[in-house]
Amino acid sequence: MFDQMVEQSSTLLRRLEISVAEAEKRTGKNTVNMQETFTVYLIETRPIDAITDGHNPAPDSLWRRYSEFELLRNYLLVTYPFIVVPPLPEKRAEFVWHKLSADNLDPDFVERRRVGLENFLLRVASHSVLSNDKILYHFLTEEHEWKEVVYETGFQAKADSRIKALSATFRVKNPDKRFTEMRHYSDELQSITSQLLRVRAVSHSEWSAIEKEMGDGLQSAGHHMDAYAASVDDILEEEEHYADQLKEYLFYAEALRAVCRKHELIQYELETASSDLVSKKHQREELATGMVRTFSFKGMTNKLFGQEAPEQREARLGLLEEQIVEGEETVKEKTSECQEYVKDAWVDIQRFKEQKDRDLREALVSYAVMQISMCKKGIQVWTNAKECFQKM
């Protein structure tokens, strides 16, 4: 899958070989001074230049916890809201197809997560924008004080609250049709992928159990049946890899929605600024002409208690002029911000769609080849079993 990625890779992946080489269970005290068991992952990096020159230097290495990967991704989400940021592997096992434990310290689960974390780093390091971020380089190469460097960026203060983003979704008056359709697509992608994962989780486990029962029940062909049941178990283990590829795009759906939500928030802020500017201009017109076209508490009090003094009126006009100038500048900035966001986001969404089509096509073809191989093996097994039945 990563052959094509490397061809399109950004500077970092061309300069640096990156891998998550192993995982290790550790015990220590957490932030509230309580004992806990956790897993750390060994990140190894090596300059590409040294490898191509015929040298084989030992890789630089450091250990990271899963929570540090989460911190890196949260930073990237906030700093690059127009990018469909690659997802992390699941924190706990979901949609299990085989015998994988739901325990996040289970060795099989930890191994799959290690592969997923490496996949995450390779995707980020192959992105033309994300790969050039200095924080990413610090994450890969600086073991100590990395968190301090991230927090010093102030990225948390830039994070839009979910409530604010949700409010914008329902209050935007003129949403961009392309982003609305993309949001609906992300919902459908998540729904269909999760349904597929659920269906396979049930059918494959039942399939294996059924075959084993048949193998135990037919003594004359028992060894052939058992061999086939064992082959189904082997296939199920291979299918976990396929399931992980599907899960990645299940989680990608949320990343895609985040890009759409950010656009809705920027669009809402532009519409609010534009509406406020129109309102201020109406107030200026009414104050300048003395004609109040709409009901207002100020207009009613003027009628009841008389008009304000000329000095007061001039002061209000002056204040409104200042506010209008500021409002025009705000609208200009928000318009530019929105246009720039749409341009950048749409470029990355198209990149993501091409990546998705390529990855899922490759995954489905590999899955089909695997099933063909299994079926050929099944035909041979059942041919042998048939001969046994005929001799009964």
Side-chain angles (χ1 to χ4, degrees):
M1 182 179 295
F2 284 104
D3 291 342
Q4 296 98 331
M5 285 178 54
V6 173
E7 290 174 6
Q8 302 175 21
S9 65
S10 59
T11 307
L12 183 60
L13 205 54
R14 286 178 179 164
R15 289 191 294 113
L16 212 58
E17 183 183 79
I18 303 168
S19 67
V20 179
E22 60 180 277
E24 183 179 289
K25 189 185 296 185
R26 293 184 182 177
T27 302
K29 291 187 177 181
N30 58 21
T31 52
V32 291
N33 208 34
M34 293 182 65
Q35 199 78 359
E36 66 170 344
T37 302
F38 54 90
T39 305
V40 289
Y41 300 88
L42 182 66
I43 299 175
E44 293 186 343
T45 55
R46 185 160 36 193
I48 296 292
D49 289 346
I51 300 172
T52 55
D53 290 343
H55 301 93
N56 191 24
D60 293 323
S61 60
L62 50 80
W63 294 93
R64 295 281 186 223
R65 294 186 62 171
Y66 182 86
S67 58
E68 292 182 272
F69 282 86
E70 287 184 307
L71 179 58
L72 171 64
R73 185 171 187 273
N74 288 337
Y75 161 79
L76 294 175
L77 280 170
V78 173
T79 308
Y80 305 97
F82 55 90
I83 288 175
V84 185
V85 178
L88 290 168
E90 57 194 340
K91 199 161 190 173
R92 286 178 175 77
E94 298 178 18
F95 305 114
V96 176
W97 283 10
H98 193 42
K99 302 172 182 177
L100 192 68
S101 170
D103 180 8
N104 63 351
L105 294 175
D106 177 80
D108 289 338
F109 174 71
V110 169
E111 171 58 19
R112 287 178 55 219
R113 186 199 271 178
R114 180 198 66 77
V115 173
L117 291 174
E118 181 174 281
N119 179 65
F120 165 75
L121 289 181
L122 291 174
R123 288 211 184 276
V124 172
S126 69
H127 194 284
S128 59
V129 176
L130 299 180
S131 69
N132 292 308
D133 190 280
K134 292 181 180 179
I135 295 297
L136 171 63
Y137 191 76
H138 279 297
F139 177 86
L140 294 170
T141 59
E142 302 291 335
E143 184 164 12
H144 303 293
E145 300 181 355
W146 175 76
K147 289 184 180 179
E148 289 78 1
V149 174
V150 179
Y151 290 129
E152 284 173 4
T153 64
F155 82 95
Q156 291 172 306
K158 302 174 188 175
D160 297 312
S161 73
R162 295 185 67 85
I163 295 176
K164 188 177 179 183
L166 184 63
S167 173
T169 299
F170 294 105
R171 298 175 70 178
V172 170
K173 296 177 182 178
N174 300 299
D176 189 311
K177 185 179 178 181
R178 294 174 300 173
F179 283 88
T180 301
E181 291 175 349
M182 190 53 60
R183 184 170 184 144
H184 291 159
Y185 169 76
S186 68
D187 292 339
E188 291 173 358
L189 176 64
Q190 185 176 47
S191 175
I192 291 170
T193 309
S194 62
Q195 287 176 27
L196 178 59
L197 285 163
R198 285 192 180 96
V199 169
R200 299 300 294 165
V202 174
S203 63
H204 278 71
S205 59
E206 290 178 352
W207 182 16
S208 180
I210 288 171
E211 299 297 357
K212 285 182 177 177
E213 289 171 7
M214 290 176 63
D216 293 337
L218 299 170
Q219 294 182 357
S220 61
H223 67 286
H224 296 301
M225 302 293 230
D226 289 339
Y228 185 64
S231 73
V232 172
D233 271 350
D234 291 340
I235 288 294
L236 285 174
E237 290 180 7
E238 290 184 43
E239 284 186 335
E240 285 296 347
H241 174 66
Y242 171 67
D244 287 340
Q245 290 176 306
L246 289 180
K247 285 178 184 179
E248 183 183 19
Y249 279 93
L250 177 68
F251 304 142
Y252 253 126
E254 175 55 31
L256 190 56
R257 272 199 298 274
V259 173
C260 296
R261 281 198 302 266
K262 179 64 178 180
H263 172 262
E264 288 166 349
L265 185 56
I266 295 173
Q267 179 70 25
Y268 175 65
E269 290 174 347
L270 171 59
E271 290 180 359
T272 301
S274 300
S275 177
D276 185 60
L277 178 60
V278 170
S279 176
K280 289 287 192 299
K281 287 182 175 180
H282 282 167
Q283 291 177 43
R284 179 183 63 182
E285 183 182 353
E286 290 172 353
L287 194 59
T289 61
M291 296 177 61
V292 180
R293 299 179 182 178
T294 56
F295 173 80
S296 69
F297 182 75
K298 184 72 176 178
M300 182 59 70
T301 54
N302 283 344
K303 287 184 178 181
L304 291 173
F305 302 107
Q307 296 290 329
E308 60 190 347
E311 295 81 4
Q312 293 175 309
R313 185 164 163 274
E314 287 299 322
R316 283 185 61 205
L317 269 172
L319 179 60
L320 276 172
E321 289 290 354
E322 292 177 6
Q323 292 175 339
I324 287 170
V325 170
E326 291 175 0
E328 287 175 338
E329 189 60 33
T330 300
V331 169
K332 183 179 178 181
E333 290 174 358
K334 290 295 179 183
T335 300
S336 177
E337 181 185 358
C338 193
Q339 291 173 344
E340 191 70 19
Y341 185 89
V342 169
K343 184 185 73 173
D344 292 341
W346 206 247
V347 167
D348 199 67
I349 286 173
Q350 297 307 311
R351 175 206 61 80
F352 164 74
K353 288 171 69 177
E354 291 174 5
Q355 170 197 300
K356 170 190 62 68
D357 292 346
R358 183 176 63 245
D359 288 351
L360 292 182
R361 186 186 305 114
E362 181 180 328
L364 290 168
V365 169
S366 298
Y367 182 69
V369 169
M370 180 179 63
Q371 291 293 338
I372 290 169
S373 174
M374 186 202 71
C375 290
K376 287 179 178 178
K377 185 182 296 184
I379 289 171
Q380 185 59 54
V381 168
W382 287 107
T383 300
N384 295 337
K386 176 185 173 184
E387 295 175 357
C388 293
F389 299 153
Q390 289 173 336
K391 296 175 182 178
M392 288 174 60

